[in-house]
Every structure is written in C-alpha cells, then in structure tokens.
Amino acid sequence: MFGAPAASRYDPFARLLHWLVVLLLIAQYIVAWTMPGIHRGTKPVGLIVVHLDLGAFIIAVMIVRVLWRIVRKEPGPAEGTPLTRGIAYLTHGLLYLLLIVQPVLGWVNASSRGWQVTLFGANLPSLAPTGSALGHALGDAHRLLAWVMLVLIGLHVAAALYHHFLLRDGVLRRMA
Ligand code: HEM
Ligand code: HEM
C-alpha cells in the first residue's frame, strides 16, 4: 500500500534537512573529485575553498539536524522484521556519525596545512597545529571515509528504492 499515515512521516523540517544534506553531499563529492590535487604547499584557492566552505556548512546543518532529531524524537526506521529494522537503525546511525566525523577530519587536515576554515565568512578555530603529523594522517582517513560513506549511502538508497518499488509499503513517503 502506498502512503504512510501522516503521523509516521518525518516532520517537514526533518525532511527539509534530509534533502538539503543530500544536495550538499552531491555537490561536495563533485567538487572534491574535480578540485585540483592537494599536496604539500598547495594554496587554498578556487574549488578547494568551495570544498572547505561547503564542508563547514554541512557540519553546521548536521548539528542542527542532530539537535532537531533529539528534540523532536523522530519516528526512526519504519516497521519491519527485527533484523531489517536493526540494519536500518545501524545504517542511519552510521550515516549520522560519518556526516559529522568526515567533515571534521577534513577540517583537522585543512588546519594542519595552515588553512583557515570559514563559515559564512567567519573564521572557525584551527583544529590542529600547522604541520601536524596527525592532521596529515587524518587527511588519508578523510579520503578513505568518503568512500565508506558512499557505500553506506548506496545501501541506504537501494533499501529506500526496494521499499518503494518492491515492498510498496510507503516507507519512502515518510521522508518524501
Ligand atoms: C561531508 C563532507 C565532506 C566530504 C564528503 C568530503 C569529501 C572529500 C573527498 C572525496 C576528498 C578526496 C579528494 C581527492 O581524492 O582528490 C576530500 C579531500 C579533502 N577534503 Fe573533504 N570532504 C568533506 C568535508 C570537508 C571539510 C569540512 C573540509 C575542511 C574544512 C575538507 C577538507 C579536505 C581536504 C583538506 C582534503 C585533501 C585531503 C588530503 O588529500 O590530504 N573536507 N574530501
Ligand atoms: C546523501 C544521501 C543520503 C543520506 C546521507 C541519507 C541519510 C539518511 C538518514 C541519516 C536517515 C535517518 C533519519 C532519521 O531517522 O533521523 C535517512 C532516512 C531516510 N532516507 Fe535518506 N539519506 C540519503 C539519501 C536518500 C535517498 C536518495 C532516498 C530515497 C531514494 C532516501 C530515503 C530515505 C527514507 C525513506 C528515510 C526514512 C526511512 C525510515 O526511517 O523508515 N535517502 N536518510
């Protein structure tokens, strides 16, 4: 049956935040993979600045999203077997975690390169001293986690489409 009862849908602001983050991530991955390669001594200009600004904005949106989820007590994953609900909880939890950890790792790496990260033009604090070896290593983790997150997103989208087209249980409408 299509169409979940209104009560079990995510509220409009939660839905707005979900789709805003989807759009921001699409833009962020495109920018990340088009920006010039980053090496020792690279100057933060052009698309690299766009990557840093978009990333800082994603952190800000995610902080609002996590707070909103706590305040509103979101419905959480839809009905299902304990196993599929467990998988949904796990995937959603990991996505929330990665959406915070991933940009923060990028920020630490940017700081270790001596780059100033800004949010709407306001300077954000440096998270690592310039030249920090840990900050450098976390740049590798940042590049790796981008792939981990993409795999999880792929699973999540596949599950959403499976619900919509095969199970036809209205799960997609909860977020649409
Ligand atoms: C969810 C948000 C983010 C995603 C999905 C993301 C994704 C990526 C990806 C895919 C790369 C690798 C690009 C390549 O292989 O050439 C990368 C590199 C990088 N990102 Fe991000 N990024 C995010 C947020 C941020 C933020 C917030 C910052 C800093 C404020 C940042 C700073 C960097 C830096 C400095 C690199 C180069 C790392 C290195 O090669 O050592 N990123 N990012
Ligand atoms: C960048 C890609 C995406 C990310 C990071 C993402 C992340 C999330 C997260 C964290 C939740 C849990 C929300 C909560 O309980 O507070 C969620 C729920 C949901 N997402 Fe996504 N999502 C993405 C793309 C999509 C797409 C493309 C679709 C549809 C094809 C989709 C459909 C849904 C649905 C239907 C739910 C509610 C599932 C339920 O609770 O029963 N998402 N998403």
Side-chain angles (χ1 to χ4, degrees):
M1 186 188 75
F2 277 110
S8 71
R9 281 180 86 187
Y10 287 80
D11 69 83
F13 190 55
R15 283 183 269 143
L16 176 80
L17 291 172
H18 177 268
W19 294 109
L20 175 63
V21 171
V22 172
L23 289 182
L24 289 171
L25 279 182
I26 292 173
Q28 184 68 319
Y29 274 101
I30 292 174
V31 169
W33 283 322
T34 357
M35 68 187 181
I38 295 172
H39 311 285
R40 188 185 294 269
T42 302
K43 294 269 174 288
V45 289
L47 280 182
I48 297 177
V49 180
V50 176
H51 185 71
L52 306 186
D53 286 355
L54 260 179
F57 186 53
I58 290 174
I59 300 179
V61 174
M62 281 311 297
I63 291 173
V64 174
R65 190 167 170 193
V66 168
L67 291 177
W68 187 252
R69 196 187 200 292
I70 294 168
V71 171
R72 291 290 305 223
K73 301 189 178 66
E74 298 290 353
E79 309 285 307
T81 65
L83 179 68
T84 55
R85 286 191 53 146
I87 294 172
Y89 263 116
L90 193 68
T91 315
H92 294 170
L94 280 174
L95 281 171
Y96 271 111
L97 190 69
L98 283 180
L99 282 164
I100 299 278
V101 170
Q102 166 67 359
V104 169
L105 292 182
W107 181 355
V108 176
N109 182 260
S111 297
S112 75
R113 294 175 187 280
W115 297 352
Q116 177 65 58
V117 179
T118 61
L119 179 63
F120 299 124
N123 287 348
L124 297 182
S126 164
L127 296 188
T130 307
S132 146
L134 178 65
H136 180 77
L138 293 184
D140 294 339
H142 181 71
R143 280 198 313 263
L144 181 73
L145 270 194
W147 284 104
V148 174
M149 194 155 80
L150 211 55
V151 169
L152 273 177
I153 290 171
L155 279 177
H156 174 71
V157 174
L161 297 179
Y162 178 69
H163 276 282
H164 190 65
F165 290 112
L166 294 167
L167 299 180
R168 301 181 173 211
D169 55 7
V171 162
L172 186 58
R173 276 203 21 93
R174 288 155 53 85
M175 198 47 106

